[in-house]
Amino acid sequence: MYFNGQFVPETEARLSIYDSALMFGDMVFEMTRSFNRVQFKLREHLDRLYASIKMVRIPIEMSVDEMEKVVCDTIQANRECFAEDDEHRVMIDVSRGLLSIYTGMVGVAPGPNVIIAVFPLRWTVAGMGELFDIGINAVIPAQRAIPAELLDPKIKNRSRLHYLMANIQVSNYEGRNNWALLLDPDGFVAEGTGDNVFIVCRGEIVTPEPRNILRGISRAYVLEELGPQLGIAVAERNIDRYDVVTADEAFMTGTPFSILPVTALDGQAIGNGRPGPVTQALIERWGRNVGVDIPGQIKAWDASRADAAEGPSPYAFRAKR
Amino acid sequence: MYFNGQFVPETEARLSIYDSALMFGDMVFEMTRSFNRVQFKLREHLDRLYASIKMVRIPIEMSVDEMEKVVCDTIQANRECFAEDDEHRVMIDVSRGLLSIYTGMVGVAPGPNVIIAVFPLRWTVAGMGELFDIGINAVIPAQRAIPAELLDPKIKNRSRLHYLMANIQVSNYEGRNNWALLLDPDGFVAEGTGDNVFIVCRGEIVTPEPRNILRGISRAYVLEELGPQLGIAVAERNIDRYDVVTADEAFMTGTPFSILPVTALDGQAIGNGRPGPVTQALIERWGRNVGVDIPGQIKAWDASRADAAEGPSPYAFRAKR
Amino acid sequence: MYFNGQFVPETEARLSIYDSALMFGDMVFEMTRSFNRVQFKLREHLDRLYASIKMVRIPIEMSVDEMEKVVCDTIQANRECFAEDDEHRVMIDVSRGLLSIYTGMVGVAPGPNVIIAVFPLRWTVAGMGELFDIGINAVIPAQRAIPAELLDPKIKNRSRLHYLMANIQVSNYEGRNNWALLLDPDGFVAEGTGDNVFIVCRGEIVTPEPRNILRGISRAYVLEELGPQLGIAVAERNIDRYDVVTADEAFMTGTPFSILPVTALDGQAIGNGRPGPVTQALIERWGRNVGVDIPGQIKAWDASRADAAEGPSPYAFRAKR
Amino acid sequence: MYFNGQFVPETEARLSIYDSALMFGDMVFEMTRSFNRVQFKLREHLDRLYASIKMVRIPIEMSVDEMEKVVCDTIQANRECFAEDDEHRVMIDVSRGLLSIYTGMVGVAPGPNVIIAVFPLRWTVAGMGELFDIGINAVIPAQRAIPAELLDPKIKNRSRLHYLMANIQVSNYEGRNNWALLLDPDGFVAEGTGDNVFIVCRGEIVTPEPRNILRGISRAYVLEELGPQLGIAVAERNIDRYDVVTADEAFMTGTPFSILPVTALDGQAIGNGRPGPVTQALIERWGRNVGVDIPGQIKAWDASRADAAEGPSPYAFRAKR
Amino acid sequence: MYFNGQFVPETEARLSIYDSALMFGDMVFEMTRSFNRVQFKLREHLDRLYASIKMVRIPIEMSVDEMEKVVCDTIQANRECFAEDDEHRVMIDVSRGLLSIYTGMVGVAPGPNVIIAVFPLRWTVAGMGELFDIGINAVIPAQRAIPAELLDPKIKNRSRLHYLMANIQVSNYEGRNNWALLLDPDGFVAEGTGDNVFIVCRGEIVTPEPRNILRGISRAYVLEELGPQLGIAVAERNIDRYDVVTADEAFMTGTPFSILPVTALDGQAIGNGRPGPVTQALIERWGRNVGVDIPGQIKAWDASRADAAEGPSPYAFRAKR
Amino acid sequence: MYFNGQFVPETEARLSIYDSALMFGDMVFEMTRSFNRVQFKLREHLDRLYASIKMVRIPIEMSVDEMEKVVCDTIQANRECFAEDDEHRVMIDVSRGLLSIYTGMVGVAPGPNVIIAVFPLRWTVAGMGELFDIGINAVIPAQRAIPAELLDPKIKNRSRLHYLMANIQVSNYEGRNNWALLLDPDGFVAEGTGDNVFIVCRGEIVTPEPRNILRGISRAYVLEELGPQLGIAVAERNIDRYDVVTADEAFMTGTPFSILPVTALDGQAIGNGRPGPVTQALIERWGRNVGVDIPGQIKAWDASRADAAEGPSPYAFRAKR
């Protein structure tokens, strides 16, 4: 694991409790994945990371090019730990570092921390295989998204306890395919707690305006590449509960799983209650573009994993994007 | 330092990057202080900690009585590290622990983390001595407080990047006594980024309704003990910028410094621009109650500290309450 | 009149006071009209009815195809009651039925109610003839539209006392051509209390985004058919009072009257204060498409109706769309 | 059943589908109960009814004194239908009557309708007996209360589909003691869908400010009579989720059941998770004042009712107050 | 007329079009009145003026004592122009003065302007006499008050075009006793466009919280002096439309007329639709305190004024407070 | 200077303190400029002026054609006062005139006032020359824009004290190139206090939706003429702080200076912190279209002006658009 210029064992990648990250949730991050062990849209993730760093004004000295190199080096350094059928999941954390009042007091150097970890993607997507078939039941909890003017979700940051609160609220519902779908304070559909949402309506793919949401890399891939490749119109528009309930199809996007169908909202079937043809075409096309059977790979990991039977807690596996 | 049942050296008190605290800002905390090395309102702090734990649903097993004992043990264990004129600052962090998807994957035990650190109070209040004389210039930044319905500030939690953003905005102002004073989204005065605010108006002490703010222990001490002891009326009411500008006096409360005068808002003098008589009476009375000359103690620490001359960064020393 | 599978006389088409419709305003509905005794956009109305049913979760068993057949049967059953120059107005009400606690207590069967009535369109449009010439004076009352997140107007439902309140407020204005035009809580123009609003500006037809409004069938006909047929650009955009006051023309759409000019806002002339050329072209084209002189037909009914002189109460005739 | 000046059989107490009540949810109402067959606070209910009538501007001619007499006559006329251990539940509905455009068209007289029904209270409270022991789990749904400025809940009206929506959302939770507790758009706790909510905190009984709620008769009885009788302080204040979770006790009030303990919020125990001493003292005192063992009476009805075992649907029995 | 240190004829008291007052509505003011030619609460008005000056940061050098003296001098200088039965109305305007970019360009000196005019009170209250008998019909227009956080009405300033817009909207209603009553954006009753509003409910005098309103001197006189003198409880609380409609009485206060009954809201009678006993007691007591029959004096002026018959325009006479 | 039909010396162009403009900020206006002494977009300014007049309902009799002629006459009448290198800045003020209660009382005629002044543009742009090179640092103050529903900024009016408050807040920042950039209450970027804002992002020019802003003539020129002429895509979209910080370039438009680069937001560089190529191309093209080197002309005026060294007050020169 990369930690401020060195490779250290994972158990040593720990942050001081006096770090701003732990004092204020003052840390930005990215998480990527590979397809066939080739990082996907790494540069887009890093550009977004640097936008986050700029927004929160962490005075980092490393350039984006240097960062890209370090990420690759970290993957290389860990390559032997991975099984043949693994994909690389990379997590990059950047914190402001020790709060200045503790400088010189505790045995930690001041200045920003850069931490890069690589681990098998299967950790994250464990148990998601069946969702490609049955779809997600999106549940709108009482917890709302925080609007961008107060704490901007476009900054991929770690001050997001409210996402966890949403997940906990949703875990009170019956069923194992419930994922939170947050409304923003205006009542518009915003996003999941680690994923973007889309509907398909009258042949058009529609997703919320990029305001009170993270602007997902997977989201952009659907809008700018997959939609055009398939000749399907795409649009960013304000949508609300009515639009989702009456849509023909719906799906969510996220880095670890790419695309998952959403087949119900608050327990009510969307369309005919099964993954729709547009959703399936998008999944298929994405897989073709990167040379991976995306649902098949995740299902295979599910099957090979001992503890998959019990399944992850309902709010554990949706923490990353 | 207490860490999940053991005492460890400070440099080992670090949290895994896979901990929910670092993934979601999912950690609650308290910070206390002593007067003459006697903890002040420790039980009130712990009761509030357990309210925070309940609100975010961390499944902790330790009872509040056990917690109180451990805190005392930790202070005892560190007693010899403290200078004679030090006061004990205690920080208690409780996180949900490792995200469940990483359980068994990384070398960290699952379940909540309890971390208790003790360090000299002077670290926190360094450079504040002069503020007892010149007072704080409260500055209202563009950054607003997040309302309780979205992320409740009554929960003393670590997802509060927006406080840091407010501090950074205020650091763009000239002068070294600028502290942020946040409005809530309704336009009411809420709180500082680590302190509660009061005005004195027509002989009455008024502080914002306890809604979009942390319900400070020091705040309660003024309202429930100091005010009555001095025979001064107290009230909780919605107040706005006009109320502060036209007040006779204003002050802030916080655990490390107790009470500091606020002598200006956005650079405009409040009252005659000097610490007011009610403010001074409250500070004096507090000191008498606990047997400490509060301003004198802090000024003495300032004087003895080598690096006090340059002063802390404007948003560093106001991170605790 | 169709009532849960039977045809009954009109005086028997009454709902129990224990019905959810009367307990909670828990009923959805549609109202259609014919041109030359041919139903217009019947299927579109029924699809919207089923969207409403889905949104409020009434567990109806009748399919949309069955519903369409029953509507046609009901028209057929009433055909002899109609004069030659009448048009058929159909009202379809679907309620959840008896509240479950009263099941078995009162002499009414449980389960959803479906009621279909047919009556002459002239009942609804009585007295509107002159509005094709002088236009409506749209009045913005203090009453605002309820936003979709709280009670969605896209669901055509019967919990809409606030529409009536708006109508009553407007009835306090002088003049007989005043119709309410509601702002939504964001301050945008939403809709009338039974009609959608459009402006014409720089050659473009603009209507509010389909959010806090009923998505009218007539509205869609203008946007998707009439506009393109006439080669006029159409758009859905947020508009406010300024946009209406400074527009070149304005009009409202509704099922019973199709299109009516709006010639003033709060008493101030829009454009030159007379029905505009785009509005008139739309009315003419609509009439041509369906083979009816729409203004002429309504004026003829006015003339033949004894009580037309006094006119309907200002909030009576605008209850349907 | 009283219907516009006559007593009619229950099956004939039906409203025309052209009535404003069914067209716009344009009906106001009250529901009362007796203790030992003596109506409780009847005059207060009627005064509130007339306030509702005034707010929606129904031009009723009957005076409140006449209304009171008719209610008593209706009870008298039904007296023989009641079992000895029944209590009288009275429902009074007042609608504006036939929409004016249908006047003379359909076989229904114009003008306001007054309908008064009397039925056994046990219909309403069936299955609630155990709630006195286990308490209610208050659940905050995504559906919010409509604020008073848009559709005032202080008017006891029938346009309240959103209450039903809240109940349906809550019915998705596991457990049979879940009742909806709505937040208003400001994020404050408002009310249940047929009940007012109170918390007990530091020896004080607190209930939301009477703004975005129905001002319940039972609520007033607690604030103005029971509290003072027991020497317990009462207050109306804005409260939020935090206040409820950290309260010592909580309860709900409603006409049919008087007072029910609330022992959890979103599944988290309030206080020790059992009905609290203040709540129990209030229930006991109320019963003593009216000479009825309130929980005992309801439990007795439960036991004698055949279908109590299966229980009412979760949103059926909470429609009245 | 006093103008920056000199007395000038009224026709010369004009501001340059390059003055900040005319460029930005950047002027604060006060208007007072005498009773029996003795200024009433002059010091309170001047204190509020200086609060306004402070809020908008006009760098005035004149002290409040000097200002008081100049006001008295100005009255003295004009004394001979007044009829025996006149009262002195004083208007004090303070503007920031010439915008700095025009300094030296146009023939006007830079720096703040202080203008003091004295004129007969009868100009302002002409035609109000009958309102003491029939009362005001308060009308809630679509125009809302601007909240304090955006442009604080507690600052008595000249940027208040929206008040005029409210008056114009209300002038569209029939009747000559219509006065605007503004809601604030939260939906609470705020104030008139030159007056504060009160209701009397269950023996208590209630007025809106002093937030989105001017804190009237007359308002304070009722709350702090008249109420206590008459032994009537007073309170500041959020009130809404329901509270006003269901109140026993209502009234408005303003400097020129002191107190006027409000007998209707949007045309609906408040209480019995006539000035209420508490209102009348307040008017009588005020008059007794200052030795003037307040209604009688205004009615006498009405009678003696030639143009009183036609009456002032509906938004002219309500511009002052 | 033109004043209600006559030409008067500048020192006589003063408004009575009883004028509605000074009582309510009730005045609308326009300010234009020439290029090479040819008025630019004069008709567009006048059309907007008449839209403002209509919105505030000033009953003016002069037609827009007459107004245009009077403006030209006023320029002609002042032509000799201008230096050869001057440009003509025209200011047109229209007020409602004397409040009706003062009619006949003071020596001023009733009815609307029309005032037209012509002065050298250099007064307004003094000191702006260097901004073409270093760019503006846009600062977001705590003061928010007033939304259109409360006081519409699309009406170019003089009730805008809040703009001045924003400027004063920003003047507390260090540096001399700070200009205020207001957010609206939704948190979207609105406008400066006398200018519109644009960003350049991925080759597209984007500016806020024309809702809570003045719809600038220069803004329209960029969107409708310069953008198309240069083949650059333009769009109106909601944008927020994130969009500005992460943009490639930004600029502001305003009548006196045409276009100025914005090179930082709250002190953080936008793009590379220097005026961007799209911005420069727009400035260059505009200059070419009108035959003036726009930055050069302003810099020349700077150089020739004695007092340019000290610079204008930070909120003086940004009052016009």
Side-chain angles (χ1 to χ4, degrees), chain F residues 114-134:
Chain F
V114 176
I115 305 173
I116 303 170
V118 185
F119 58 89
L121 175 64
R122 66 173 70 187
W123 293 5
T124 301
V125 297
M128 288 187 189
E130 69 174 345
L131 297 178
F132 287 97
D133 298 326
I134 65 170

Side-chain angles (χ1 to χ4, degrees), chain A residues 48-268:
Chain A
R48 188 171 66 181
L49 177 66
Y50 273 75
S52 295
I53 289 170
K54 187 175 185 185
M55 284 295 290
V56 302
R57 298 184 173 221
I58 294 177
I60 193 176
E61 287 174 13
M62 186 184 287
S63 72
V64 65
D65 288 329
E66 290 164 348
M67 180 70 81
E68 188 169 13
K69 182 176 179 311
V70 173
V71 168
C72 295
D73 290 351
T74 309
I75 295 168
Q76 195 59 38
N78 284 277
R79 193 162 289 266
E80 68 208 46
C81 310
F82 281 73
E84 205 141 302
D85 69 338
D86 277 346
E87 297 286 4
H88 301 117
R89 185 135 172 81
V90 179
M91 177 168 75
I92 312 165
D93 274 337
V94 178
S95 91
R96 197 177 309 271
L98 203 64
L99 276 196
S100 63
I101 59 168
Y102 302 113
T103 305
M105 306 301 177
V106 296
V108 179
N113 292 307
V114 176
I115 305 172
I116 302 169
V118 185
F119 56 90
L121 175 64
R122 64 175 69 188
W123 292 5
T124 300
V125 297
M128 287 188 190
E130 67 174 346
L131 296 178
F132 287 97
D133 299 326
I134 64 170
I136 291 164
N137 176 34
V139 173
I140 297 176
Q143 172 74 52
R144 295 272 173 113
I146 295 179
E149 63 164 313
L150 296 178
L151 183 56
D152 198 331
K154 294 188 284 293
I155 305 167
K156 198 165 170 64
N157 74 83
R158 297 296 198 184
S159 270
R160 45 185 196 143
L161 182 52
H162 57 294
Y163 282 3
L164 209 54
M165 293 298 100
N167 286 341
I168 290 174
Q169 286 174 12
V170 168
S171 72
N172 284 327
Y173 279 72
E174 267 182 296
R176 60 182 177 172
N177 64 333
N178 301 318
W179 285 32
L181 178 59
L182 276 69
L183 301 186
D184 69 18
D186 297 319
F188 295 126
V189 168
E191 59 180 353
T193 58
D195 31 74
N196 291 117
V197 67
F198 292 74
I199 57 174
V200 181
C201 195
R202 299 172 74 177
E204 189 189 35
I205 297 173
V206 186
T207 197
E209 291 188 3
R211 183 169 59 251
N212 291 328
I213 61 170
L214 184 72
R215 293 177 180 170
I217 307 291
S218 302
R219 178 183 179 274
Y221 189 58
V222 168
L223 292 178
E224 295 168 15
E225 299 186 44
L226 292 184
Q229 284 170 13
L230 294 168
I232 304 173
V234 298
E236 295 175 320
R237 268 206 297 275
N238 292 323
I239 62 179
D240 62 17
R241 183 193 286 263
Y242 185 92
D243 296 306
V244 180
V245 169
T246 62
D248 299 317
E249 309 179 27
F251 58 89
M252 282 175 165
T253 59
T255 290
F257 54 79
S258 302
I259 293 177
L260 279 172
V262 175
T263 51
L265 181 75
D266 285 334
Q268 277 197 301

Side-chain angles (χ1 to χ4, degrees), chain A residues 1-51:
Chain A
M1 185 173 292
Y2 177 88
F3 187 76
N4 292 334
Q6 298 181 275
F7 291 100
V8 300
E10 187 175 278
T11 50
E12 290 185 18
R14 297 180 162 203
L15 278 182
S16 162
I17 58 169
Y18 300 108
D19 194 281
S20 187
L22 278 163
M23 286 293 191
F24 284 99
D26 175 26
M27 186 157 71
V28 295
F29 72 107
E30 284 294 323
M31 300 191 78
T32 68
R33 67 162 288 175
S34 63
F35 289 103
N36 285 327
R37 270 155 308 277
V38 178
Q39 285 289 303
F40 182 71
K41 302 277 178 192
L42 176 57
R43 189 64 184 213
E44 284 81 353
H45 279 279
L46 295 180
D47 285 344
R48 188 171 66 181
L49 177 66
Y50 273 75

Side-chain angles (χ1 to χ4, degrees), chain E residues 207-235:
Chain E
T207 197
E209 291 188 3
R211 184 167 60 249
N212 289 328
I213 61 170
L214 183 72
R215 293 176 180 171
I217 308 290
S218 303
R219 178 183 179 274
Y221 189 58
V222 168
L223 292 177
E224 294 168 17
E225 300 185 45
L226 293 184
Q229 284 170 13
L230 293 169
I232 304 173
V234 298

